[in-house]
Amino acid sequence: MDLITGVWESLKAVRERSPLVHNITNYVVMNNTANALLAVGASPAMVHAREEVAEFAAISQALVVNIGTLSPEWVEGMRLAIQSARQSRVPWVLDPVGAGATRYRTTTAAELARQAPAVIRGNASEVLAVAGEAGATRGVDSTQSSEASLEAARRLASNLGTVVAVTGQTDYITDGSRVVAVDNGHPLMSRVTGMGCTASALVGAFLAVEPDAVLAASRALVVLGLAGELAAAQSKGPGSLQLHLLDVLHTLDEATVRARARVR
C-alpha cells in the first residue's frame, strides 16, 4: 500500500472503529484535544486520577501521556497508566511538552521515555532535550527546526526502540532507520495553543488502528497538517482556524487526501 492510500485507509478505520483514546493531558488543551479526537472519529477520555488510570488504560485502545502541566500526583498517575497499558499491550504516546525548560520537566520526560512508548511526539527542542543533546527551548516553544533535530531523533528512536515524530515546518517520523517526511501544514497553526498536543492525540487514535507506529504517526500528521491547510484557507485568524479545523477533520474525504497529501 502506498503512503497516501494508507492515510485514507487509516482515517477510514478510525471513523469506523471509533477507538477509545485515554488522555492524561494538560489543563490548557483538554477541550481542544477531546474535540479534535471526536471530529476525526475517535472516542476521547480525559482520565487522570491515580485511583482509576490503570483500570481505564487497560480498557482503552490507546493511551496518550502529555506532560504539559505537571504535578507529582499527575506524574504518579502517568506511571500507573503506562504500566497498565504495557501489561495490556495498549500502545501509548509520550508528548514531552516543554522538555528542556526545567530540570523537573526534563527528567520526567526522560524517565517516561524509557517506558517503551510506541511514539514520542514533540517539537525539535523537546526531542533534543529527551535525547540528552544540546538544544535550547523557550517554554513550550521550539527554538530549533525539525530538520536540525532529525539525526538526534534517529539516535533516540534507535536507543529506545521506539518511533520519534518531530513536528515543525516539515514533520519527520523515524524508527532510527526508516524516515518519513510530511510537508502538510500551515504557519497559522502555530498561533493556536495545543496544536502539538492535538497532533499527539491523533497519533494515539491512529495507533489504535495501525500497529506500525511509523505509519500510524505519519498518517495522523498528514491528516492534521492537511486539515490545518484547508482550515487556514477559510480563516481570518487563529480563532476561526480552530473552528474550521474541527469541521475539516470531520469532513475530510478520500479525494482531498489523494489530491493534497504531501508525504514522502
Side-chain angles (χ1 to χ4, degrees):
M1 186 184 300
D2 65 82
L3 289 172
I4 293 177
T5 298
V7 173
W8 172 248
E9 291 300 320
S10 285
L11 176 58
K12 187 168 65 170
V14 170
R15 290 172 173 171
E16 291 172 351
R17 301 183 201 175
S18 190
L20 177 60
V21 182
H22 176 189
N23 299 267
I24 302 180
T25 191
N26 65 77
Y27 301 121
V28 180
V29 305
M30 286 187 195
N31 184 66
N32 308 55
T33 299
N35 279 328
L37 285 168
L38 283 170
V40 83
S43 178
M46 276 56 188
V47 178
H48 299 80
R50 289 174 294 177
E51 292 78 7
E52 64 173 347
V53 287
E55 185 178 357
F56 207 92
I59 64 170
S60 301
Q61 281 73 63
L63 168 68
V64 179
V65 173
N66 176 306
I67 69 168
T69 48
L70 284 178
S71 71
E73 293 79 11
W74 276 32
V75 173
E76 181 58 27
M78 292 171 183
R79 294 182 181 122
L80 293 170
I82 291 166
Q83 180 181 28
S84 175
R86 293 180 65 183
Q87 290 173 345
S88 301
R89 299 183 181 274
V90 173
W92 75 279
V93 180
L94 173 64
D95 188 332
V97 179
T102 67
R103 182 178 301 175
Y104 179 49
R105 187 168 293 276
T106 304
T107 56
T108 298
E111 173 202 335
L112 298 181
R114 294 191 293 270
Q115 303 307 309
V119 177
I120 299 172
R121 200 293 316 164
N123 64 37
S125 293
E126 291 161 350
V127 168
L128 285 166
V130 174
E133 302 193 19
T137 187
R138 186 182 63 187
V140 299
D141 297 325
S142 180
T143 60
Q144 305 286 333
S145 71
S146 54
E147 187 172 4
S149 67
L150 177 56
E151 288 309 311
R154 295 182 72 156
R155 287 190 290 272
L156 180 63
S158 294
N159 290 340
L160 296 180
T162 187
V163 168
V164 177
V166 190
T167 50
Q169 183 173 350
T170 295
D171 302 329
Y172 293 100
I173 303 92
T174 181
D175 60 3
S177 56
R178 291 179 292 169
V179 177
V180 177
V182 175
D183 294 316
N184 290 104
H186 192 278
L188 191 58
M189 297 171 73
S190 67
R191 309 311 299 173
V192 176
T193 189
M195 197 61 71
C197 304
T198 297
S200 296
L202 295 187
V203 169
F206 278 64
L207 271 172
V209 301
E210 172 50 62
D212 186 319
V214 169
L215 297 180
S218 302
R219 293 168 183 178
L221 293 176
V222 169
V223 167
L224 180 60
L226 180 52
E229 289 177 9
L230 296 171
Q234 308 173 57
S235 304
K236 294 181 179 179
S240 53
L241 177 72
Q242 296 179 77
L243 299 176
H244 292 307
L245 181 74
L246 295 177
D247 289 345
V248 176
L249 286 173
H250 182 65
T251 60
L252 192 60
D253 58 28
E254 182 177 4
T256 304
V257 169
R258 290 191 178 281
R260 299 286 298 266
R262 291 180 288 148
V263 56
R264 49 194 168 88

